[in-house]
Amino acid sequence: MNQALEGIKVLDLTRVLSGPYATMIMADMGADVIKLEQPVTGDDSRQFGPYVEGESAYFMSLNRNKRSMTMNLKKPEAKELFLEMIKNVDVVAENFRPGTMEKLGLGYDVLKEVNPKIIYAACSGFGHSGPYSKRAAYDAVVQAMGGIMSITGQKDGQPTRVGTSMGDIVAGLFTAIGILAALNYREKTGIGQKVDVAMLDCQVAILENAISRYVVTGKAPKPEGNRHPSIVPFEPFDARDGQIMVAAGNDALWEKFCNAIDGRELLEIDEYKTNPSRNDHYTELRPLIAVKMLNKTVKEWQDILDEAGVPNGPINTVDKVLEDPQVLARNMIVEVEHKVAGPLKIPGVPIKMSETQGEIKKAAPVLGEDTAQLLSELLGISRDEFEALKEKGIF
Amino acid sequence: MNQALEGIKVLDLTRVLSGPYATMIMADMGADVIKLEQPVTGDDSRQFGPYVEGESAYFMSLNRNKRSMTMNLKKPEAKELFLEMIKNVDVVAENFRPGTMEKLGLGYDVLKEVNPKIIYAACSGFGHSGPYSKRAAYDAVVQAMGGIMSITGQKDGQPTRVGTSMGDIVAGLFTAIGILAALNYREKTGIGQKVDVAMLDCQVAILENAISRYVVTGKAPKPEGNRHPSIVPFEPFDARDGQIMVAAGNDALWEKFCNAIDGRELLEIDEYKTNPSRNDHYTELRPLIAVKMLNKTVKEWQDILDEAGVPNGPINTVDKVLEDPQVLARNMIVEVEHKVAGPLKIPGVPIKMSETQGEIKKAAPVLGEDTAQLLSELLGISRDEFEALKEKGIF
């Protein structure tokens, strides 16, 4: 056993982002993820640009390490094959609107009759219960409703959507956790279960201390911009050629910072000696720091502040992230060879395990690439039988 | 067995946010999380406001369901007791700067000698390898370096920090996943391992399609504001009393939307019939929609658009999130009774499992609340022995 989730089979009906993110994490750790797609069109995100040789980069990023088979689940013969496959897998994952699987006659109640050990993971906008359950959601909708937009943005500015699809991605992470916890329970008891994760619930979960701040003070938090609400200096400054984030989290770091920026005179001023007092005198202190920061480039400041032990970092654009020596040293950018698109750089695996290293073994599949192989492997269907079934429009 | 992670013991040395978030998720699903804190001060976040009866709301939110024991790991007697405890737990978790545990003589190499089955989870700013490994990081620093700030913000505006500590929280989520995957491997092979998660790596992982967009187009993505880059209408509009997010993701929804907002005349205009064309004519189309949206309140639009089946949602501030009927129906706001602070509302458990429901069984512990109990339970140390050891300043 070389990978942490080796031997776990996931029948994956998820599309676009939240669900595919969850199953990607599992595939990266060695689970056998079988992506079951609609014939002809496949996962909606195969239509999302940008493209390389006609293949969606969006899709390729999220579906590495998976296999693809097509099946039209509206056909009775396909349903039968699907139920047979359910007997031979550990997990089934979907991110349809609640009720969709039931309408197909393939809801959890049906699947658990066929395989009581099955773990059924459902990731949806609002979850499988509650008054909004049946509604469709998009990332932008749950970011709006879940509160994160209301606390993101420039000071006194507009609520701001997080630039990556946090609504989907965080739900994908919680779904992966739910599946793994259910596998642990099943390993010990032999009992499967349904895992129901809602994007909106996950947004509430990540609000974290914004909730306790509101509950205790009675004031709803607002966008705070890029400055720490109570620590000084703890914000970006303009350098000669860009911005650098400085995080002098305590008085010892303040001293190191002043020495590093050639600002020893600031250390002599009583009002700036403790953090609460720096906070009180923020308006006059900030420009004194800002004017010094303009003198050097981001790179020069990085070297100086790193040397001084003051936490800092450039505000990297994505191109710079892909060149960062630490990011590269941790294999967080991996090049895969896609059979149609050729070589493509995608994010690496962020969970580094000493015994069972995660790995990107193969690029994303083209639509239905593994259908015949999987039918044979999971159901013992021969190539000839496959061709005959194909005539019926099942695959 | 009533909870998914029942029977799993976690010795938890984590502080503040990333690590405690990971162990909170485990505790919510039934793991026995033993929080090992510095005597006198404890977890740094016990000093973070706001406070209720002198207890930190920040700390109470993240440390529900855990027990607390104090121990000064710089004392040789404490180290001995710690190593004894390592024999009796499944997981040890820490989020120190890399090298800290080694300096204490309690690095993974030492611990695995004592218990080869131990899972050692380390969550740090930059990870346990690479050129920046030994540096300290804060959430703001990894948000800056990891690229998310560069794609968050108003159109043509400043890079913007996400208002919740995504740098910490996402690392906590990946750490929880790594621990659970390692438990799966151990269950099958009997072998423990080290799980090393870096906040910066996790930021790269959640950039997701921003990376493929850059790699394919050669252009680093920028802040896009709140509007979808290629779908119209898919953005917030001002209603009479606030903003509402509208997500008409396809042409069928466009038709429903126009009917719902009393804008049937828009359906007659050729330029607005398909999404690509709406996108091309965005500048003239937006005001035509915007003027209609001003006529009603957010609540009125919500009812109308929900009825019409058009995905939408208010941009809720945190106070509104806590009143949302769906959030409440899903038990995403839970009141716990803290022994000092009294009743406090905190976020619920977002992973809903049919057989092993997550649960908030107890409020966060006060510092060292369970020390005597845990010494007895894990090491068979009697109350008298405890008092004697306490004299030596170990607890």
Side-chain angles (χ1 to χ4, degrees), chain A residues 126 161 164 206 226 326, chain B residues 126 132 161 164 206 226 326:
Chain A
F126 298 107
R161 182 180 168 270
T164 188
I206 66 170
N226 295 335
Q326 182 70 11
Chain B
F126 298 106
Y132 306 169
R161 184 182 166 270
T164 188
I206 66 169
N226 296 334
Q326 182 70 10

Side-chain angles (χ1 to χ4, degrees), chain A residues 351, chain B residues 18-19 22 93 121-123 170-180 195 197 202:
Chain A
I351 303 169
Chain B
S18 62
C123 180
V170 172
L173 288 164
F174 275 111
T175 302
I177 292 171
I179 293 170
L180 292 172
V195 177
V197 172
C202 295

Side-chain angles (χ1 to χ4, degrees), chain A residues 1 46 71 130 205 287 319 363 365 367 390:
Chain A
M1 199 168 162
R46 288 186 182 271
M71 200 176 262
D319 52 323
L367 182 61
K390 206 172 169 183

